Amino acid sequence: MTRVEMNEWCIRRLYTYQILFGLLVIITQNYAFNFSEINLPKEHLPFYFSNYPAVAEKCKEDEKCPYKDELDKNVCWGYEHGCRAQNSYSRPSCPGDHKGWVKTKQDQLNTFYSQGDFGYIKDQLQEMMVICEPTFVDDSSLECSKHLRFCRGRNIMINFTDLSSRSEPIRYKMDVLKEGQIGGYCQLHKSRLDEECDHISPLQSWGPELRYFTQLSRRPIVEKDCDVVIEKPTFVLKIDATVNMYHHFCDFLNLYASLHMNSTHPSTFSRDVHILIWESYTYQSSFEVVWEAFTNHPVWDLKTFRGDTVCFKNIVFPLLPRMIFGLFYNTPIIWGCEKSGLFHAFSKHILHRLKVPLHKRFNNKIQITLLSRNTTYRNILNENELLAALKKNEDYQVKRVIYNRQLQFKQQLEITYNTDIFIGIHGAGLTHLLFLPDWAVVFELYNCEDEGCYMDLARLRGVKYITWQDKSKLEQQDQGHHPDGGAHAKFTNYSFDVNEFLRLVAVAAKHVKNHKAFQAFHKDIHDEL
């Protein structure tokens, strides 16, 4: 091979890698962009344009581009190469003591950033490795982070023909595929794949599926080996319990994080993608509307392709809900830190995409929402007494709600987003704290001896958390009876001392009134009036 031929080969190979791994540089003069499809919260737009300078340049040139005020801001999400802390979306803080955890305050901050913020994305991106290597443009490719937590591929074949003969429904199964039923035309680094197949569990990694990845002898799309070819990007999800808001929002948070993991192209936040849920049950959930934040197409399940061999031109295997030291459910959060930019961005993204409004206020009253339960356990026995005591305070606007199927989830979010103090006893409904305004307080009336769950979630979201401290001022109906036997604090009901309750609400109200964001929100409204 001559020097000229060698140069041409290297250029072609680099070009192939750029295309197949999503790194292709946009040629500004040839690239048309529909600005109306960006559809991001206003506060996220500068970060978007900073990540995609070619689109920013197009916006400058296009007199109809509505985002000119969001250009030329020196900002970054936090996972980009060279992103400086002062320019990052995330501004976590660690007011609590770091002693006994790490050596310095900066180490404390760095640990929190890597555990539950955009630093987690950065670490995952640095771990990305090629599992199946392409040579030419029409080849397949597969790359993954460590332990196969996140993977993405191009021109990947999946054979679902065996599903036709399976009578039992599929959920949390690790035998959906077998050898040769997933693969691509590329050079497979088998030893690397085997080494990363060390978290074999249904919701911990993609190891149960990708351990069977095979190097094919033909290009499956070019050779027309597939019954179906999916042109649009497809996100394959193994999801947690859809009936429980806490667990299901592990899925949505990790999907949002995976959009950032996959952010190599301006369409990274596009809704023109498919969602394939890796089970054969027809998807049903009270939270179904949240998919609208991610896709404008119907959600698929494994029945969609039963009996078919399917080729995906672009496929993403997102971060999973129960990864070891993962995001949300298994996040080990260092003591004393709060305000994850990732969780904050997720909250704003969902509220924006679902068009949940923040209402104007015409008075200075603190908006209090008490989340009531219509379940067997963890009810507030003197709920009416507590509500009556709150309503006597003219500074409070009090609302009692029950979040169930009778109240559409978008309506629930609207109530939550317009709440200053959100009160409820331990339960999945407190996951709504993710969608409180930045100045809000979540008051977990009693944590039922599960101290960390919603306190940690509130720390990640960056809202103030308080809970009942003096157990002598609450009454437990009985010892509680766990279904498997034994006493358990979650399986009984409670009544609370009214004066102590009012004292804690007053602490929460003081925090709200003193919060700069709350003051600015009211100032803007008063200026308009």
Side-chain angles (χ1 to χ4, degrees):
M1 184 180 295
T2 66
R3 183 182 297 274
V4 172
E5 290 173 332
M6 177 64 74
N7 287 341
E8 289 179 350
W9 184 87
C10 289
I11 291 171
R12 185 171 67 249
R13 191 170 181 82
L14 175 61
Y15 180 74
T16 301
Y17 273 25
Q18 289 173 332
I19 292 175
L20 295 180
F21 290 134
L23 302 175
L24 183 60
V25 178
I26 301 168
I27 307 302
T28 304
Q29 60 268 29
N30 294 328
Y31 186 78
F33 196 83
N34 185 349
F35 294 105
S36 65
E37 293 182 353
I38 295 177
N39 191 18
L40 292 174
K42 181 177 173 60
E43 62 196 288
H44 292 182
L45 291 170
F47 299 88
Y48 175 85
F49 285 109
S50 290
N51 257 14
Y52 305 110
V55 180
E57 195 62 32
K58 276 288 188 183
C59 183
K60 289 179 184 178
E61 297 171 357
D62 189 340
E63 61 182 20
K64 295 182 180 179
C65 178
Y67 303 125
K68 295 188 184 295
D69 291 342
E70 314 303 335
L71 307 177
D72 297 325
K73 307 285 179 68
N74 187 19
V75 295
C76 46
W77 291 107
Y79 51 79
E80 303 92 334
H81 178 72
C83 177
R84 304 177 69 178
Q86 61 266 34
N87 301 328
S88 173
Y89 184 92
S90 298
R91 299 295 173 89
S93 64
C94 295
D97 190 2
H98 68 279
K99 294 179 182 178
W101 294 82
V102 289
K103 292 182 178 180
T104 68
K105 178 63 73 172
Q106 187 60 48
D107 288 342
Q108 182 187 21
L109 190 65
N110 293 342
T111 300
F112 177 78
Y113 191 64
S114 293
Q115 287 176 331
D117 207 333
F118 280 116
Y120 185 92
I121 306 299
K122 183 177 183 179
D123 292 344
Q124 294 292 309
L125 288 171
Q126 290 175 344
E127 292 177 356
M128 292 293 286
M129 66 191 81
V130 177
I131 300 296
C132 203
E133 188 171 355
T135 302
F136 299 103
V137 174
D138 289 329
D139 290 358
S140 307
S141 68
L142 180 69
E143 58 176 344
C144 299
S145 63
K146 292 285 292 180
H147 313 295
L148 308 181
R149 291 189 181 106
F150 170 92
C151 298
R152 61 186 173 196
R154 287 178 63 86
N155 302 329
I156 300 298
M157 179 277 295
I158 304 181
N159 186 335
F160 295 108
T161 54
D162 281 0
L163 298 187
S164 297
S165 59
R166 291 186 66 154
S167 57
E168 82 284 4
I170 297 171
R171 176 177 287 163
Y172 311 141
K173 301 290 187 181
M174 296 194 292
D175 62 348
V176 176
L177 300 177
K178 60 187 180 184
E179 195 72 37
Q181 291 188 328
I182 181 170
Y185 184 84
C186 43
Q187 182 183 347
L188 178 63
H189 298 286
K190 188 67 166 60
S191 60
R192 191 177 300 168
L193 174 62
D194 292 343
E195 185 177 346
E196 299 307 325
C197 285
D198 56 345
H199 290 181
I200 300 298
S201 182
L203 299 181
Q204 285 184 359
S205 83
W206 291 100
E209 292 73 36
L210 294 181
R211 59 183 166 175
Y212 298 123
F213 195 91
T214 302
Q215 180 175 323
L216 303 178
S217 59
R218 293 155 52 98
R219 295 182 178 89
I221 296 178
V222 173
E223 302 294 340
K224 303 185 185 311
D225 292 333
C226 302
D227 302 304
V228 181
V229 176
I230 307 301
E231 301 279 346
K232 299 181 189 299
T234 301
F235 288 78
V236 183
L237 273 76
K238 295 190 289 188
I239 61 176
D240 210 327
T242 61
V243 298
N244 182 292
M245 184 177 180
Y246 180 86
H247 288 290
H248 200 10
F249 269 79
C250 293
D251 304 313
F252 296 127
L253 184 279
N254 279 283
L255 178 55
Y256 178 73
S258 297
L259 298 183
H260 286 277
M261 285 284 296
N262 197 45
S263 60
T264 57
H265 190 276
S267 64
T268 187
F269 296 108
S270 171
R271 295 194 307 135
D272 191 17
V273 300
H274 291 297
I275 302 290
L276 170 59
I277 296 177
W278 199 255
E279 57 186 48
S280 62
Y281 287 90
T282 299
Y283 177 85
Q284 289 183 320
S285 175
S286 299
F287 314 109
E288 181 175 3
V289 69
V290 181
W291 293 118
E292 292 179 10
F294 299 100
T295 180
N296 53 22
H297 300 288
V299 172
W300 292 336
D301 58 45
L302 290 177
K303 296 192 303 297
T304 307
F305 300 114
R306 185 167 50 195
D308 291 329
T309 298
V310 183
C311 280
F312 299 88
K313 287 197 171 181
N314 290 275
I315 191 168
V316 178
F317 301 92
L319 298 167
L320 293 117
R322 298 209 180 196
M323 298 177 293
I324 297 174
F325 300 139
L327 286 172
F328 199 132
Y329 180 72
N330 280 329
T331 304
I333 313 174
I334 193 168
W335 174 255
C337 297
E338 58 191 21
K339 298 181 180 178
S340 162
L342 173 60
F343 277 73
H344 184 275
F346 167 72
S347 175
K348 300 304 179 186
H349 187 83
I350 297 298
L351 291 168
H352 172 81
R353 286 283 176 91
L354 299 186
K355 300 179 181 178
V356 179
L358 182 62
H359 299 153
K360 290 184 177 182
R361 305 278 184 91
F362 299 101
N363 57 55
N364 290 322
K365 291 189 176 185
I366 301 294
Q367 303 294 312
I368 298 177
T369 300
L370 188 142
L371 179 61
S372 184
R373 292 170 62 87
N374 58 352
T375 55
T376 304
Y377 302 114
R378 278 172 276 149
N379 291 296
I380 305 167
L381 296 174
N382 62 333
E383 184 177 278
N384 291 335
E385 186 180 9
L386 299 183
L387 287 168
L390 283 177
K391 290 176 181 179
K392 289 179 181 179
N393 191 322
E394 294 183 354
D395 291 334
Y396 300 158
Q397 186 77 41
V398 182
K399 177 180 297 203
R400 172 186 177 268
V401 297
I402 297 176
Y403 284 170
N404 56 21
R405 291 179 179 272
Q406 278 64 56
L407 187 64
Q408 292 183 352
F409 188 63
K410 277 189 182 181
Q411 293 176 284
Q412 296 179 25
L413 288 181
E414 186 173 352
I415 293 169
T416 301
Y417 191 32
N418 289 278
T419 293
D420 302 321
I421 301 175
F422 190 72
I423 304 173
I425 203 165
H426 183 86
L430 288 181
T431 308
H432 269 271
L433 69 85
L434 289 170
F435 304 103
L436 290 169
D438 293 345
W439 58 75
V441 178
V442 58
F443 178 8
E444 184 175 19
L445 194 51
Y446 184 49
N447 58 38
C448 300
E449 299 178 10
D450 187 353
E451 297 180 0
C453 183
Y454 295 104
M455 178 179 69
D456 287 346
L457 195 59
R459 285 204 285 140
L460 287 164
R461 169 59 186 87
V463 294
K464 176 75 171 176
Y465 171 91
I466 62 174
T467 190
W468 201 271
Q469 298 295 330
D470 190 347
K471 290 186 179 180
S472 69
K473 294 184 177 181
L474 65 77
E475 291 185 11
Q476 191 168 319
Q477 188 176 37
D478 54 40
Q479 66 177 355
H481 303 283
H482 193 281
D484 295 331
H488 201 292
K490 291 183 181 179
F491 295 89
T492 187
N493 303 304
Y494 296 87
S495 59
F496 299 87
D497 180 85
V498 175
N499 291 329
E500 178 66 3
F501 172 74
L502 292 176
R503 184 188 72 81
L504 290 168
V505 173
V507 170
K510 182 178 179 181
H511 171 85
V512 171
K513 289 178 179 178
N514 290 334
H515 199 289
K516 291 181 179 179
F518 180 78
Q519 293 170 355
F521 175 64
H522 277 271
K523 181 180 183 300
D524 290 343
I525 292 171
H526 292 155
D527 288 347
E528 289 178 11
L529 296 176

